[in-house]
Amino acid sequence: MIARAIFIFPVSPVFDNVPQNMTVLEQDRMNVTMYCNATGRPTVKLSWVRVRDGKIVASGNTLLITAAGRSQHGKYRCVADNGVGNPVSTSAFLEVHCKLVTSLAEL
């Protein structure tokens, strides 16, 4: 009988799906979903950071922004980490357009 050893080597995170830039109209109050995914060994943990203030706003591969408005515009970073090497990240921008009021009659 021959004994065989199987070695499982750690692999740092690599993105296989990156988030896309998105544009919405504020008056539509749409939900916005951004998605990213990364693989690696051990399993990769994903988090979402709002770049303007460094706040972690979600964990997992999906970022959901409900009723997107002006206060949510900006860059969001998906960060992948599994403890092997340095965390890696990729970003997408959420642009929120607002209706321009050109006269008092439109108010």
Side-chain angles (χ1 to χ4, degrees), residues 83-96:
V84 178
N86 293 321
V88 294
S89 65
T90 184
S91 301
F93 196 87
L94 173 60
E95 190 170 344
V96 180

Side-chain angles (χ1 to χ4, degrees), residues 34-95:
M34 291 186 179
Y35 178 82
C36 74
N37 196 56
T39 58
R41 199 173 343 167
T43 302
V44 175
K45 293 184 180 175
L46 298 167
S47 59
W48 289 88
V49 176
R50 186 172 49 214
V51 172
R52 77 169 169 254
D53 59 8
K55 181 179 178 184
I56 296 174
V57 293
S59 60
N61 60 3
T62 303
L63 169 64
L64 174 63
I65 300 170
T66 56
R70 278 179 262 193
S71 64
Q72 286 89 23
H73 85 280
K75 186 184 278 191
Y76 291 84
R77 178 175 293 130
C78 178
V79 180
D81 189 13
N82 67 351
V84 178
N86 293 321
V88 294
S89 65
T90 184
S91 301
F93 196 87
L94 173 60
E95 190 170 344

